[in-house]
Amino acid sequence: MSRLLILAASALLPMTLLAGCGGPDCGPGSHADGKRCVGDLDPASVCAPGTHLSGSTCLPDFQCGAGTKAVGDTCVADPGAGSGPTIWGPSALVVDTWCAEPQIAVDSQGTIYAVCMSTSFVALFKSADGQSFTELARYPATGSFNGDVTVAVDNSDRVFFAWIDYTNNADGSMSGEAKAVVFAAGGTAPSEAQTVSPTDASFPFNDRPWLNLAPDGSMYLSFIHGTESQQGGGATGALYAISSNGQPFGATVTMRPASTLSMALVTSPIAFCGSGIPCTIEQYYEVSGGSSYTSGLRSVRRTGSGPWAVGGKIAGLDTFPHFSFDPYPSIASDHRFRATVAFVDAPSRKPTLFITRSTDGIAWSTPIAPNVDWMGDQHFPWVTTDENDNVHVLFLDNRGGHWQAYTLSSKDGATFGPIQRVSDAPFNETGGQQDWIGDFNGLVARNGKLYAIWTDLRSGQSRTRVAIAKNPLIP
């Protein structure tokens, strides 16, 4: 099951300045210790959650109020933080009940399909205008609960809907089945719910399904397969299945055999790299000594009918081991099979959005942070490309002391335009079930428009909301 992001502080690494030390001439936040400059802050101390280190002082993360930002030591108006102009229209409520972790798809006619998970079922909704939604179908759990929804449409406007049916077992473990339904164009004539994941007593846990349309028109469904534990000795691989011409999904294909792993994997959706080769991004953990581990992101790709192979490392996530967080990698490819990955890293002790690109799914550009001047934590990125191969990214940011959804757009995946506020009201999260923010949101670019979907907590409970904007990069 998807887990809430946890920011865990441990001992702060000693901040020793070895260069430029000159006895009493050490820089701000440090002092002379013999011939060395050392940090003023006790190396055994750490700033509390909700604060950050500035020199030798722990200061609140959010010194500036809502609608403002810091410029030097001054808080000034910030139109992008909840006030002022934005390209996005009003936030529309999909359903006025608890529903979270949504995804979105749009067909060739501009019809919107939204899916989300409730406490005991998953549901599919339809809208012609993005303001009023009608429920098309819901699927109650056969186990303990349903979750981790995904939706996509194919070239014939058939609608594919998939999720995980989880079961809490008596021994405290969890298992889960990947299930899928195919609808005819317009969201009509649904098939029977199909169990896609294989029966596997040794590795009964399935998680994080993603639907993606291949260049040949086939629909890929990929999902995690293994055990529930991610770092405590559990091994997790990944599987995918293919539906051709809207038919039920075929036999699953293994990306990584769970039985051969000594690490846990979390994969992004599938994209198509190089000449159209399936590729994905995996987060890996390498455990040593039962307690310490390194973590990173790398690409995995498949050629022909051969096995999946590691493409190239994108980023190491072990630079600041006193932080534990999920980078939530998202990948999208354009018509020329150039891949863009959005993920979260914390190089300054603050989770931040990063972007990297590849033309072959093997070599990746140096990750860039396109909005490093922002002060908030950034999470849950989702990347997509449009009909002109422009790149668009949705993410959440809490720089004003509360969460809001934002987007960035780029023609080349390297230089991004101004940050655009998506949600028209801020919200907060306690981590409880009623106001759970989830682990992912969604973004689609089609027919000259952008369509965003996210979990919104302005009412005090998890709700799914949608907003639409004219694509800023298409005249």
Side-chain angles (χ1 to χ4, degrees), residues 214 220 240 270-273 276-280 300-304 308:
Y220 281 54
Y240 77 90
I270 288 179
F272 300 92
C273 304
I277 296 169
C279 58
T280 188
V300 183
R301 58 200 294 273
R302 187 173 190 246
T303 57
W308 289 72

Side-chain angles (χ1 to χ4, degrees), residues 83-358:
S83 61
T86 178
I87 64 173
W88 288 90
S91 303
L93 190 65
V94 173
V95 57
D96 195 17
T97 58
W98 195 101
C99 221
E101 282 199 336
Q103 282 283 280
I104 192 169
V106 180
D107 69 15
S108 63
Q109 305 303 308
T111 303
I112 302 168
Y113 297 94
V115 295
C116 56
M117 58 169 286
S118 187
T119 53
S120 59
F121 63 87
V122 293
L124 170 68
F125 302 88
K126 175 181 177 180
S127 176
D129 58 6
Q131 293 298 304
S132 176
F133 286 81
T134 301
E135 183 177 313
L136 291 184
R138 70 168 58 186
Y139 297 91
T142 59
S144 302
F145 65 98
N146 283 344
D148 279 13
V149 293
T150 180
V151 64
V153 295
D154 69 5
N155 294 331
S156 299
D157 285 345
R158 286 177 290 246
V159 181
F160 293 74
F161 178 22
W163 65 93
I164 302 293
D165 194 330
Y166 296 99
T167 298
N168 293 314
N169 301 313
D171 62 1
S173 66
M174 181 180 291
S175 55
E177 295 181 331
K179 296 191 173 183
V181 174
V182 182
F183 295 76
T188 61
S191 67
E192 293 294 325
Q194 174 191 0
T195 298
V196 182
S197 53
T199 301
D200 190 337
S202 299
F203 300 98
F205 185 67
N206 298 284
D207 196 30
R208 290 289 180 91
W210 304 119
L211 285 162
N212 295 85
L213 186 65
D216 65 2
S218 299
M219 186 66 71
Y220 281 54
L221 173 62
S222 58
F223 52 95
I224 299 300
H225 173 70
T227 61
E228 180 187 2
S229 174
Q230 290 196 339
Q231 294 181 28
T236 307
L239 302 173
Y240 77 90
I242 298 178
S243 173
S244 178
N245 196 30
Q247 298 302 309
F249 286 90
T252 54
V253 179
T254 302
M255 294 183 195
R256 281 283 202 278
S259 60
T260 65
L261 292 175
S262 60
M263 62 193 73
L265 308 178
V266 175
T267 66
S268 73
I270 288 179
F272 300 92
C273 304
S275 58
I277 296 169
C279 58
T280 188
I281 307 302
E282 63 181 23
Q283 178 186 357
Y284 62 88
Y285 297 93
E286 295 178 340
V287 182
S288 60
S291 58
S292 63
Y293 66 91
T294 59
S295 179
L297 295 178
R298 61 192 175 200
S299 57
V300 183
R301 58 200 294 273
R302 187 173 190 246
T303 57
S305 59
W308 289 72
V310 172
K313 185 175 180 180
I314 291 177
L317 303 173
D318 54 343
T319 307
F320 294 88
H322 50 278
F323 261 112
S324 177
F325 64 93
D326 192 330
Y328 298 99
S330 174
I331 188 172
S333 50
D334 62 22
H335 296 93
R336 287 178 277 179
F337 304 124
R338 298 174 300 181
T340 302
V341 174
F343 66 97
V344 172
D345 200 356
S348 299
R349 295 166 46 84
K350 180 183 76 67
T352 300
L353 169 70
F354 282 86
I355 304 292
T356 181
R357 302 199 82 193
S358 175

Side-chain angles (χ1 to χ4, degrees), residues 12-17 23-24 26-33 36-45 53-58:
L12 182 66
L13 300 178
M15 294 180 292
T16 304
L17 304 178
C26 294
S30 63
H31 61 274
D33 180 9
R36 300 185 308 158
C37 289
V38 298
D40 291 338
L41 190 68
D42 180 353
S45 301
L53 182 68
S54 178
S56 59
T57 305
C58 290

Side-chain angles (χ1 to χ4, degrees), residues 430-449:
T430 67
Q433 183 183 28
Q434 290 303 304
D435 62 347
W436 178 57
I437 210 168
D439 288 339
F440 53 85
N441 304 288
L443 181 67
V444 169
R446 190 163 191 181
N447 301 328
K449 294 182 179 180

Side-chain angles (χ1 to χ4, degrees), residues 32-90:
D33 180 9
K35 296 183 179 180
R36 300 185 308 158
C37 289
V38 298
D40 291 338
L41 190 68
D42 180 353
S45 301
V46 69
C47 292
T51 66
H52 65 276
L53 182 68
S54 178
S56 59
T57 305
C58 290
L59 299 176
D61 284 341
F62 312 116
Q63 300 174 76
C64 294
T68 66
K69 65 179 180 181
V71 175
D73 297 326
T74 305
C75 290
V76 300
D78 183 8
S83 61
T86 178
I87 64 173
W88 288 90

